[in-house]
Amino acid sequence: MNRFIIAVTLGLMAANTAYADVTEEDLLNDTASVDDVLTNGMGRHLQRYSPMDILNKENVQNLVPAWAFSLGGEKQRGQETQPIVHDGIMYITGSYSRLYAIDVKTGQELWQYDARLPEGILPCCDVVNRGAAIYGENVYFGTLDARIVALNAKTGDVVWNKKIADYKAGYSYTAAPLIVNGLIITGNSGGEFGIVGEVQARDAETGDLVWTRPVIEGHMGTLDGEESTMTGTLNATWPGDMWKTGGGATWLGGSYDADTDTLVFGTGNPAPWNSWLRSAGNPEGTEGDNLYAASRLGIDPATGEIKWHFQTTPREGWDYDGVNEVVAYEDRDGNKRFATADRNGFFYVLNREDGAFVSAVPFVKDISWAEGIDENGRPIFVEANRPGDPATAADGKKGEVVFASPSFLGGKNWMPMAHSPKTGLFYVPSNEWGMDIWNEPITYKKGAAYLGSGFTIKPNYEDHIGSLKAIDPDTGEIKWEVKNPSPLWGGVMTTAGGLVFTGTPEGKFIAFDDETGEELWSFQTGSGVIGQPITWEQDGEQYLTVISGWGGAVPLWGGEVAKQVSYLNQGGTLWTFRLPEQLASK
Ligand code: CA
Ligand code: CA
């Protein structure tokens, strides 16, 4: 009894001590400061690398659970969050736009915020959320009705709640927000509804808009409440009025390269999927490139002006969204580089100064839509693998069906890769699958799917779809590969201890040797792991956390693959592991 009272008193004392506000400096130093995890990506470069080596190849077999936390209720579905750890509190987001604050030592809930979602939200690909952001006194996250909410990090009280876009038009929000120089920067989701991709920057304290940057040519940006500049050149690469509902959702959020002071956001598919409606009868020329969809954009964080662009899939017609994360790193010669593993199956290296193309190699087998990438970074199309034009079909309703690989869910989807400055390698969660795809006529209708395509996803191999690959960005060589029966859908993390962590839909959370891919440790979490692991130090011990909870796009859109994995159980449990001090040297 006495012990209980003392514990409660100590708890109250802890709660009364001043909360340490998170500063720009803290965010800048997030990778090096191992006692907290303040940013999505464990550093805004998104390397997902920890310099910690308390836990290493020799002792990882001694890693044990410390606590687990259930997200509860019938609201399970896909859990894709990356936790944030600050000042003794862990912040996670859950499916259906929920945010939890948890005592990092005990796993006990401190408070929970459930967004009140309206009827009629239109999330395309499960009710997921990929994590929160933290700055000042607040914690931030986006909601499925396309809003961004600031909560007091200590109490969970709402500080402000702002609308990003109209959910009735198909907009939603699932990414972790990005914070740079006191601005909270968000993208948007909804590329399957003919929305227009945009990046917005708000004052993190007040939620007031500072700038907006639509990513499809012809649309006007704003700065301080006034029109700034037009994105691109009207009708340069889009025919007629198609740009007005041109897609390019910025749905995975962005990264920040502090060295060049540049935000980098990827953009999704141009809308509709049927590329013939966007090519103005000129498939060979740049007229149908549909900028800046399926691209990466370098953006000035102060003004929202586009500094550079790199389009991975011009005239995109397979739903190869260009949103996958862009990771800033240095190659072995010390050159400042970006790397990104695109949905289209190619792994690109770009120059960090200007986004210029450096190199590209396939990171999955059997790419059918392009023979390769030319010296300018432009794909060498296989025209016969472009889904046919329904306008030229006998019935005018269904164009020629092609088998295209990768499938539209990508050689890699949203799940983030990791980079180790120690090995120089990227650890890429990839999938090897294809699809039958065909085009159909379509006209835009607000709030309705705007595809003009049909599809069925199929596995390419009997023994695997998922493949974790270690890629050398300097040579393009695949150093090792670990295959997995079902598609990989979870994030990857790597550490100075020589470990690579990721999870599988079959439920395993696994540590691999960073040089060989050998499995060194695993733990069955009870449901599919599609979340993003983190690690940090607490009281001299190394901790790891990952969320388990199967869902996401595969069960909804995976066609024949979805049937293969229909036996997988849903869940919703946050697992925290630690290496006890007495086992660290064993
Ligand atoms: Ca940190
Ligand atoms: Ca898409």
Side-chain angles (χ1 to χ4, degrees):
M1 188 67 181
N2 280 346
R3 196 177 268 185
F4 175 74
I5 291 168
I6 289 165
V8 168
T9 309
L10 286 172
L12 284 174
M13 281 168 65
N16 287 337
T17 55
Y19 176 84
D21 288 4
V22 176
T23 64
E24 169 64 21
E25 193 72 12
D26 295 334
L27 300 180
L28 194 63
N29 296 327
D30 191 26
T31 304
S33 60
V34 295
D35 60 343
D36 60 20
V37 177
L38 301 175
T39 57
N40 173 54
M42 296 171 58
R44 291 175 296 187
H45 47 46
L46 308 188
Q47 289 186 358
R48 297 178 186 277
Y49 169 79
S50 169
M52 292 180 67
D53 61 2
I54 299 172
L55 183 69
N56 54 50
K57 295 180 193 184
E58 280 67 51
N59 59 27
V60 66
Q61 76 275 5
N62 296 321
L63 195 59
V64 291
W67 50 260
F69 175 88
S70 169
L71 275 70
E74 72 278 20
K75 290 178 172 178
Q76 298 198 340
R77 305 283 289 269
Q79 305 298 349
E80 296 185 350
T81 194
Q82 185 216 285
I84 296 288
V85 174
H86 173 61
D87 221 13
I89 303 176
M90 180 179 293
Y91 301 92
I92 63 160
T93 58
S95 53
Y96 295 97
S97 306
R98 294 173 289 171
L99 190 144
Y100 301 78
I102 301 162
D103 184 314
V104 83
K105 292 202 172 175
T106 63
Q108 201 157 16
E109 178 175 306
L110 299 172
W111 53 264
Q112 176 180 342
Y113 174 83
D114 283 28
R116 288 177 61 170
L117 298 171
E119 294 290 320
I121 54 167
L122 294 164
C124 76
C125 310
D126 203 5
V127 287
V128 299
N129 188 285
R130 301 194 171 96
I134 192 164
Y135 182 73
E137 298 181 336
N138 300 333
V139 60
Y140 305 85
F141 84 122
T143 58
L144 289 164
D145 55 346
R147 300 187 72 89
I148 176 87
V149 185
L151 304 166
N152 181 284
K154 217 57 183 175
T155 64
D157 294 339
V158 175
V159 179
W160 52 258
N161 181 336
K162 302 280 183 180
K163 176 178 164 182
I164 294 172
D166 178 11
Y167 72 87
K168 290 176 185 158
Y171 289 92
S172 57
Y173 192 87
T174 55
L178 172 64
I179 293 173
V180 175
N181 295 328
L183 298 176
I184 178 157
I185 297 150
T186 51
N188 61 24
S189 302
E192 275 56 58
F193 297 94
I195 59 91
V196 174
E198 185 166 87
V199 182
Q200 299 182 346
R202 287 185 163 75
D203 183 311
E205 254 176 61
T206 64
D208 293 339
L209 262 182
V210 175
W211 54 257
T212 62
R213 173 53 55 192
V215 301
I216 298 296
E217 76 180 21
H219 292 271
M220 199 56 94
T222 65
L223 176 62
D224 297 328
E226 307 204 347
E227 283 193 347
S228 56
T229 56
M230 181 186 283
T231 298
T233 306
L234 181 63
N235 284 139
T237 66
W238 285 83
D241 283 344
M242 297 300 286
W243 58 278
K244 290 184 178 170
T245 51
T250 48
W251 60 265
L252 196 47
S255 52
Y256 175 62
D257 178 30
D259 288 343
T260 60
D261 189 30
T262 306
L263 304 172
V264 187
F265 271 72
T267 64
N269 62 285
W273 284 18
N274 178 349
S275 64
W276 299 92
L277 297 170
R278 297 179 265 103
S279 59
N282 181 19
E284 303 302 323
T286 55
E287 189 182 347
D289 276 2
N290 311 132
L291 294 170
Y292 297 107
S295 301
R296 306 299 191 282
L297 299 178
I299 297 174
D300 182 337
T303 62
E305 292 300 312
I306 295 174
K307 296 164 102 172
W308 53 259
H309 75 273
F310 178 78
Q311 190 174 39
T312 45
T313 316
R315 198 202 67 197
E316 194 284 311
W318 302 264
D319 191 33
Y320 294 151
D321 287 10
V323 296
N324 286 356
E325 76 283 10
V326 174
V327 179
Y329 73 105
E330 277 185 24
D331 71 12
R332 292 190 183 86
D333 294 329
N335 296 308
K336 288 181 167 41
R337 298 295 190 226
F338 287 126
T340 188
D342 199 86
R343 281 257 280 264
N344 72 18
F346 290 95
F347 181 94
Y348 295 81
V349 175
L350 307 177
N351 185 334
R352 253 201 272 165
E353 298 295 336
D354 55 6
F357 174 74
V358 175
S359 67
V361 291
F363 67 93
V364 288
K365 296 186 278 290
D366 312 310
I367 294 174
S368 66
W369 68 279
E371 282 169 32
I373 305 297
D374 74 15
E375 69 276 11
N376 300 313
R378 195 176 171 84
I380 304 161
F381 285 108
V382 176
E383 287 298 338
N385 204 242
R386 182 182 186 186
D389 184 356
T392 63
D395 62 358
K397 286 183 183 152
K398 184 172 180 180
E400 188 199 349
V401 182
V402 300
F403 179 79
S405 181
S407 80
F408 72 89
L409 289 178
K412 173 182 168 299
N413 203 283
W414 78 277
M415 56 284 191
M417 60 187 183
H419 171 68
S420 169
K422 188 176 139 273
T423 62
L425 303 175
F426 279 84
Y427 302 99
V428 182
S430 75
N431 289 312
E432 299 189 300
W433 46 13
M435 63 179 166
D436 285 334
I437 181 168
W438 60 91
N439 286 325
E440 300 164 349
I442 185 82
T443 49
Y444 175 78
K445 203 173 130 227
K446 183 182 169 182
Y450 186 49
L451 301 185
S453 292
F455 46 81
T456 306
I457 290 187
K458 299 173 171 179
N460 285 3
Y461 297 91
E462 278 187 9
D463 68 332
H464 77 285
I465 297 167
S467 164
L468 178 66
K469 293 184 169 89
I471 299 178
D472 187 324
D474 294 358
T475 62
E477 192 189 345
I478 294 173
K479 304 287 276 189
W480 54 259
E481 172 184 14
V482 177
K483 294 174 180 170
N484 193 67
S486 62
L488 294 179
W489 211 254
V492 182
M493 174 182 73
T494 185
T495 72
L499 301 169
V500 176
F501 289 90
T502 196
T504 69
E506 291 88 342
K508 275 170 78 176
F509 181 48
I510 309 170
F512 298 98
D513 183 308
D514 63 352
E515 284 166 309
T516 66
E518 184 192 349
E519 183 174 318
L520 300 176
W521 171 89
S522 79
F523 181 86
Q524 173 53 249
T525 64
S527 180
V529 177
I530 58 169
Q532 308 169 64
I534 59 161
T535 186
W536 76 98
E537 184 183 324
Q538 189 173 290
D539 304 328
E541 294 180 344
Q542 188 166 353
Y543 282 69
L544 277 93
T545 294
V546 72
I547 201 162
S548 168
W550 173 237
V554 175
L556 297 173
W557 297 107
E560 292 177 18
V561 171
K563 286 181 208 155
Q564 277 187 18
V565 298
S566 62
Y567 72 94
L568 296 171
N569 292 320
Q570 292 194 355
T573 302
L574 185 77
W575 287 97
T576 291
F577 304 89
R578 65 191 263 260
L579 178 68
E581 211 173 342
Q582 67 272 27
L583 296 177
S585 58
K586 283 187 183 163

